[in-house]
Amino acid sequence: YAEVGKMATDDYVGFTFFVGCMAMMAASAFFFLSMNTFDKKWRTSILVSGLITFIAAVHYWYMRDYWATYMESPTFFRYVDWVLTVPLMCVEFYLILRVAGAKKSLMWKLIFLSVVMLVTGYFGEAVYTTGTGPALWGFISGVAYFAIVYIIWFGEAKKLAEQAGGAVLAAHKTLCWFVLVGWAIYPLGYMAGTEGWYSFVGELGLNMDVIYNIGDAINKIGFGLVVYGLAVAATSTSE
Amino acid sequence: YAEVGKMATDDYVGFTFFVGCMAMMAASAFFFLSMNTFDKKWRTSILVSGLITFIAAVHYWYMRDYWATYMESPTFFRYVDWVLTVPLMCVEFYLILRVAGAKKSLMWKLIFLSVVMLVTGYFGEAVYTTGTGPALWGFISGVAYFAIVYIIWFGEAKKLAEQAGGAVLAAHKTLCWFVLVGWAIYPLGYMAGTEGWYSFVGELGLNMDVIYNIGDAINKIGFGLVVYGLAVAATSTSE
Ligand SMILES: CC1=C(/C=C/C(C)=C/C=C/C(C)=C/C=O)C(C)(C)CCC1
Ligand SMILES: CC1=C(/C=C/C(C)=C/C=C/C(C)=C/C=O)C(C)(C)CCC1
């Protein structure tokens, strides 16, 4: 048998890492195993939902152990995870809007912005961690974030969703709220975990990793469930 | 929990190994789980795409840990990986062109050349690593590489693709560009990591492993996605 480490009973950060890891594994099994019950045209979307939680499950496995070993933020793994999963969420937006004729260029635009958001965030969190570094890089990251919000709420993506109408429009709207509110959890975590004019956030006793873990559970699993719900709605009306 | 090593936050080589490993795992899940949504005649091609990324996922797992432990190029594993995946890509060319009546001899010719390319490359990178060794063996490897380029761009394979026409011809063309441009990333990495008249490449600050990792992501996943796209195109038109 493998040796199992002890977890302190009051290690709430470690607790969220463990719960998060298992939730991601279960969600992956759910999406992967249910995909074939849907119309062909929704299968890829469900599969991508499963890939997002699967990638997260693997990284949570590491992060959990990393945390248990060093009691330190696993920043490296966190960003490896995001740099794969966030672009996949952009793919998901594109897949959903394809029925309304979305072009690949929309997908690439969103992917590009999400990579800028994450690379600059990494700089602030792991490279330029002193003085004005985190605030500055976080700000640039935030600009890219708002560009994404703009495109899906008011720009090109919005127009396509309206053309599609029905269940697609409804799902798109929900996903828009995920990006505006759900994703906003992350900058909050960043403020709790880096130093800057906003250090009062960390002083409130908020922990960066707990916040990020909650954000991930909501955004990865929740996001996937919205897509799942769309496939359910669209499959039953087309029958 | 298992003990996890620390990754330096500025270890960008390690970062690409981690991202690469996870991307290969996710790509394998994607190809394996989606293969049954296609016409029977495309399933083997999608399956082979999945095998290529699956083999790579396992080797990236080793290479990642090897790099994290020794901070040295995992040349051995790299070539174990290539010697399996590159011949499988040659199989892929054959599978696609089978609809136009490709013969097995074409496949074996491509496989033979790819093995020559890799064995001689290994000699230059790991065995005769001083003096004119790397340049000489790299040159021989390059000759085999151009023989492959010739066959698929202008030779037998080209003619078959033209006979097949339609989606097959389009996919073949894209794959030809992968081989000409995507595969050319590797000799660049070789030049950055071995010594020879071309040592200025390494002095530009390019890192061999980063280049190889980028090349692998593009060529293994991208190549597979082209085949996937072909299956999508061919399946919907045949319905
Ligand atoms: C704006 C902003 C950030 C945004 C991060 C986001 C929005 C991450 C989203 C992650 C998701 C959705 C993962 C789920 O798979 C950072 C990088 C913390 C840096 C500070 C500014
Ligand atoms: C020409 C040449 C090389 C070519 C390597 C290639 C083309 C590798 C392709 C690998 C692929 C496609 C892997 C993906 O699965 C070497 C050996 C670096 C040695 C230097 C000369």
Side-chain angles (χ1 to χ4, degrees), chain A residues 5 40 62 65 70 72 122, chain B residues 1 4 6 9 18 37 64:
Chain A
K40 276 217 174 107
Y62 284 111
D65 293 352
Y70 305 107
E72 248 177 40
Y122 188 74
Chain B
Y1 57 90
V4 174
K6 278 207 175 174
T9 45
F18 264 85
T37 54
R64 206 189 63 173

Side-chain angles (χ1 to χ4, degrees), chain A residues 59-74:
Chain A
H59 291 120
Y60 266 75
W61 191 276
Y62 284 111
M63 291 202 282
R64 204 189 66 172
D65 293 352
Y66 186 97
W67 173 264
T69 314
Y70 305 107
M71 291 285 160
E72 248 177 40
S73 277

Side-chain angles (χ1 to χ4, degrees), chain B residues 52 56 79 81-82 84-86 89 117-122 125 134 137-146 148 179 182-191 212 215-217 219-220 223:
Chain B
I52 290 170
Y79 278 85
D81 179 67
W82 287 350
L84 289 163
T85 51
V86 183
M89 289 184 169
M117 174 182 88
L118 294 171
V119 170
T120 52
Y122 189 73
E125 203 173 309
W137 287 106
F139 176 77
I140 302 174
S141 175
V143 171
Y145 169 50
F146 277 113
I148 296 174
V179 174
W183 290 24
I185 295 172
Y186 299 99
L188 188 71
Y190 183 90
M191 291 199 257
Y212 283 167
D216 275 354
N219 289 301
K220 295 189 218 260
F223 199 94

Side-chain angles (χ1 to χ4, degrees), chain A residues 5-231:
Chain A
K6 279 204 174 178
M7 299 292 304
T9 46
D10 62 349
D11 176 2
Y12 300 110
V13 180
F15 202 94
T16 59
F17 273 121
F18 263 84
V19 172
C21 181
M22 192 63 233
M24 296 296 172
M25 286 198 267
S28 312
F30 179 76
F31 293 126
F32 287 157
L33 293 169
S34 66
M35 65 175 272
N36 284 319
T37 54
F38 296 107
D39 281 355
K40 276 217 174 107
K41 77 166 180 259
W42 296 112
R43 286 190 199 165
T44 315
S45 306
I46 308 280
L47 177 52
V48 172
S49 296
L51 291 180
I52 290 170
T53 53
F54 170 61
I55 291 170
V58 175
H59 291 120
Y60 266 75
W61 191 276
Y62 284 111
M63 291 202 282
R64 204 189 66 172
D65 293 352
Y66 186 97
W67 173 264
T69 314
Y70 305 107
M71 291 285 160
E72 248 177 40
S73 277
T75 309
F76 181 92
F77 299 106
R78 183 75 78 186
Y79 277 85
V80 171
D81 180 66
W82 287 350
V83 94
L84 289 163
T85 52
V86 183
L88 278 178
M89 289 182 168
C90 300
V91 172
E92 201 80 293
F93 269 104
Y94 160 74
L95 287 176
I96 289 171
L97 297 175
R98 217 173 23 171
V99 289
K103 285 201 258 14
K104 283 239 172 72
S105 66
L106 168 66
M107 178 182 92
W108 288 114
K109 219 180 286 170
L110 291 173
I111 290 180
F112 173 77
L113 288 168
S114 72
V115 171
V116 170
M117 174 182 88
L118 294 171
V119 170
T120 52
Y122 188 74
F123 283 163
E125 203 173 309
V127 186
Y128 306 104
T129 54
T130 52
T132 53
L136 190 70
W137 288 105
F139 176 77
I140 302 175
S141 176
V143 171
Y145 169 51
F146 278 112
I148 297 175
V149 170
Y150 179 82
I151 291 179
I152 59 168
W153 270 84
F154 310 106
E156 219 178 314
K158 172 67 184 302
K159 289 189 195 88
L160 289 163
E162 275 171 349
Q163 277 164 40
V168 171
L169 180 59
H172 181 81
K173 263 198 191 134
T174 316
L175 293 182
C176 280
W177 281 106
F178 267 91
V179 174
L180 185 65
V181 180
W183 290 23
I185 296 172
Y186 299 99
L188 188 72
Y190 182 91
M191 290 198 259
T194 60
E195 56 170 81
W197 54 267
Y198 44 69
S199 288
F200 63 91
V201 177
E203 280 146 23
L204 290 175
L206 295 176
N207 175 287
M208 180 172 74
D209 284 294
V210 172
I211 298 176
Y212 283 167
N213 291 351
I214 294 172
D216 274 356
I218 294 175
N219 289 301
K220 294 189 219 259
I221 302 178
F223 199 95
L225 287 175
V226 173
V227 175
Y228 179 89
L230 166 59

Side-chain angles (χ1 to χ4, degrees), chain B residues 19 24 29 33 38 53 68 70 84-85 92 149 167 169 182 185 192 231:
Chain B
V19 173
M24 296 296 170
L33 291 168
F38 296 107
T53 53
Y70 305 107
L84 289 163
T85 51
E92 201 80 293
V149 170
L169 180 59
I185 295 172

